[in-house]
Amino acid sequence: MRLHREADLLADPTPVPEPERFFGPAYSAAIQSGTPSKVTTALIRMAPHTRGHWHRHADGQVIHVVAGSGYVGRRDAEPLEITAGDTVWIEPGEEHWHGASEAGLAQIAFSLGAITWLEPSR
């Protein structure tokens, strides 16, 4: 068992593992990690207007917004606006992106299965 304090996760200055997959600064505080075919959990922080590339998760993804606000986009649909307290379930294989509004975004991401990165979302 390991306790993670929100303040510590939010203060972690570690860049995301693949910064080239984001437009703007993004930081990742690992909560739990496993093999790519399992579950990875991290608190991801995005500076204002930072946005990730299109991607999909083999077995889906859960995003829980801790602070700030932003958007989750999916193919051929208007982006969903998300804010602190919201939780989003993204279906297995669903192509999507997530990004911060002008307020910035802090989200806990539960990534299930392998991630396939796609083209830039802009």
Side-chain angles (χ1 to χ4, degrees):
M1 181 181 301
R2 186 170 173 201
L3 173 64
H4 296 273
R5 301 275 183 207
E6 185 176 286
D8 295 335
L9 294 171
L10 288 169
D12 190 335
T14 305
V16 291
E18 297 182 86
E20 68 277 6
R21 304 289 188 192
F22 291 81
F23 296 102
Y27 305 92
S28 177
I31 295 172
Q32 173 277 333
S33 62
T35 62
S37 63
K38 301 287 182 181
V39 176
T40 302
T41 309
L43 187 137
I44 308 293
R45 288 180 296 122
M46 295 184 206
H49 305 291
T50 294
R51 185 169 166 169
H53 289 205
W54 285 100
H55 61 285
R56 64 179 175 259
H57 301 265
D59 298 314
Q61 184 179 42
V62 175
I63 295 171
H64 178 74
V65 181
V66 174
S69 62
Y71 303 91
V72 177
R74 55 192 167 156
R75 297 284 186 189
D76 302 320
E78 288 295 315
L80 300 174
E81 188 170 352
I82 55 176
T83 190
D86 290 347
T87 302
V88 181
W89 164 245
I90 299 161
E91 297 286 338
E94 184 175 23
E95 294 182 1
H96 68 284
W97 58 266
H98 17 118
S101 70
E102 63 281 346
L105 178 67
Q107 61 185 13
I108 296 177
F110 302 87
S111 299
L112 310 172
I115 300 170
T116 301
W117 288 99
L118 304 166
E119 75 275 11
S121 59
R122 290 188 179 195

